Each structure stands twice: as structure tokens, then as C-alpha cells.
Amino acid sequence: MSARSRIRSAVAAAFVSPRRQALARDVWALSRRLSGGRARIDYFHQADDPYSHLAVQMLGALGDRYDAEIRVWLVPPPEPAAAPESERLGALGLRDAAEVAQARALRFPSAARQPGPDLKALAEQALAGRLGRSGFSREATEIGEALWSGDAAALTRLATAVSADPVAALRTGEAERRRRGHYLGAMFCFEGEWFWGVDRLGLLEGRLAARGLDREPGAAPLAPALEPQLAPRSVGGDGGVIELWFSFRSPYSWLVFPRIRALAAHYGAELRLRFILPMVMRGLPVPPPKRNYITLDCKREADRLGLPFGRIVDPVGAGAERALAVLHHAIALGKGEDFAELGLRAAFADGIALAEDGGLVEVAARAGLKRDQVFEALADESWRTVAETNRQALFEAGLWGAPSFRFNGGPARWGQDRLRALEEEILRAG
């Protein structure tokens, strides 16, 4: 491997190393103790974000369970570069939030629709006037339900009942979020570490418990991760088809791949690989704060799942293209799943450069491909047509990023956190 690739891998490993992260946490904790302050969770709430509506419902229970102050900040939507494809993201958020709410016994209006600017402004006014109040979780939930239900009368009543400057509140919240290095709503921050919505609340609970802040030690977390259960299979049927859109540059694709592969095998489903180019190679930028958060989040999730992660050699550009060329041929040879999983592991866990002949040949050999087959694949550009067809199919399904998946042509889901929902759909199909 080239010296440049080795250096990149070493830098990435240092960035996600448990020792560095533990030191950063201890510095935060020491600073708090020296100032005599109480442990504090900062929560960043975005009025027109469905995931914020779910997260804010947990604030009361979180404050009761853990000995930490919760400070709420009102924030605007992220910049377009950090959250591209806003229309698709909005439509997905409504559908996904309703499903998450049902799975976690939370509330989300069944007929929710994306609010217009007037309703959003009323909600921000109502929220800004209630920041710092002890019943914020309950009041914010009421405001959110009115917003997502399109109840203008209720929002007007809630907004006019308080006197506040939402513009100033949003400006202050955005400045604080930016100062701390983030960009999204529905975010919790504790000792410099970020946790997204109810999907990561269980990890935050673990951090709070590790600091001795759990008032009910040993009790079940408020929001555990929702993982597939691999229920006993019913007899009969062909198992159906799971389509998986993934990218060799997506670390979440690495986290999902061995799990969705095991899920498909357990239920006798065909796993159909629909590879796509990385977002950045399709003109969708990934700003540095987003890239840093994703890397650290993936490390935590990998640790939770027992998967290796951290020796990263970014395959963007030539690495991704060469891996896709070989994958296209590997699929035809019946070795696609092996090569895809090993290629993702190589990029995000093994520190192997897919852009270099030595690295690509090594990964291919692990998957049972010969050196001659690798170079034959590299000389064939037909993978580009397939990747473009897969991209178009993904957009037609209402999504745009990796990993995404669907079962038997049903609703497409995005993200490695949604495998439990995929499993439930398989079980419903019998």
C-alpha cells in the first residue's frame, strides 16, 4: 500500500480511537467539575423536523431518569449542502417518523404533511416563548402536533400566548450548534459528543450511566436500539426479494451489509445488490462537520454491533469505480455478496486501498476471484450503465442515498437503523 494510503488510514484510526475519545470526554467532565456545574445535556430542536418532534417527547423521561440538566436550543434547518434532496428528505421524514413513532410508542399525526412557512413561523414563535420552561417537552409536543396536523388555529393560539423573538432564538441556537461543530436538528450533545434523535438516545443513556448519572441503574434504557430479532421462519414461500442500494464510500453501508445479508439468509430472501456511485461523485457534497459526525457515529455503532471499524482508506474516486467494476463481474460469477462485504470491510476496517492494484486484488482473492478476472473486469465499463440504472431506480423509489433497501417492491427505507422495520415487513408477508 502506498505511503499516502497508510497515512490516511493511520489518521482515521487515531480520530476514532477509544483513547482519544475517552480523553476528550474526561476533559469535558473535568471542566464541569472545576466549574462546580451540574452535568448538562444540550438538545437542539428544529420546529419543522419530524425527528425533532419524536425526540422532544423524550425530554421529560430523560430528565426524570438521569441526573443532568437539559438545556434546549431552537435551531433552523441545516444548510442544503448538509441535507441535500430536501423534497425527498421531507417526504421520507414524514413516512419514517410515523413508523418510528409506532415502534417506540411515541406520537406522530397519522395524516402529517409538510408545513408551509407561515405555520413554521407560528411554531417557532410558540417554541421560542417556552424555552427554559420546566414543561417544555409537553408544550413542544403539543406545538409539534398542531404543526404536523396543519392546525393553524391551534398554532396561532399557542404563538400569541407568549412573547418572544423567534429570530433571536434561532440565531442563538444556530450559533451554539455551529460553535460545537454540528448542523442537524433533533441532536443531543453531552460532553462534546453528539447523538441523533431517538435512534441514538440509547447510546446517550449509556454515556450518562457511565458517568454515574443514572437514577435507576440496571433498569432498561428508555430508547434501546431496534435490531432484527431473526424470528423463527415460517415454512413455505420463496422468501421474497430484498433490494439493497449501497456505495463503497458509505460507512453505513459497511455497517448494514453483514446484517442485511444475515437477515436475507435467515428468511430465505434473495438479496439483490444495486450498487451506486458515492453521493459526492454524483454532485452531492458532504461538508466536513457532517463527514466527521458520520465517522464518529459509525465507530460507536460498529462497537455496539461488534464490527471492526476505523482503519479507513477513503475509496472516493478511482477506488469506488474500480471496486464497482469488479463487483459487476463478481455478481455474474455468484461472488457478488462476498466481494461487496469484503470490499466495504477493506475500506472502513482493514485499511486496504481499493484504488491500488495490490489492495483490489487482495480483496478479490478473499472473495474467490483470480487476478486475471480483476483486470478483465477493470477493462469493462458496462458497470457504469448498471450503476446509473440503479441510481434512477433509487430516485424513483423516493430515496437518494446509501444504504437504502426495500422488500418485494414495497416502501424503500434509508439507513442501517431501519433493519428492524424491514424484518417486520418480511414477517407480515408471511
Side-chain angles (χ1 to χ4, degrees), residues 247-269:
S247 157
F248 276 109
R249 205 210 180 194
S250 161
Y252 291 114
S253 290
W254 159 232
L255 297 185
V256 84
F257 203 96
R259 295 150 65 211
I260 200 170
R261 193 177 177 188
L263 186 71
H266 180 81
Y267 291 109

Side-chain angles (χ1 to χ4, degrees), residues 248 315 317-330 339 343 354-355 360 378 383:
F248 276 109
E321 292 188 336
R322 287 157 57 87
L324 290 179
V326 176
L327 175 60
H328 181 44
H329 277 238
F339 178 79
L354 298 175
L360 189 62
L378 293 176
W383 67 268

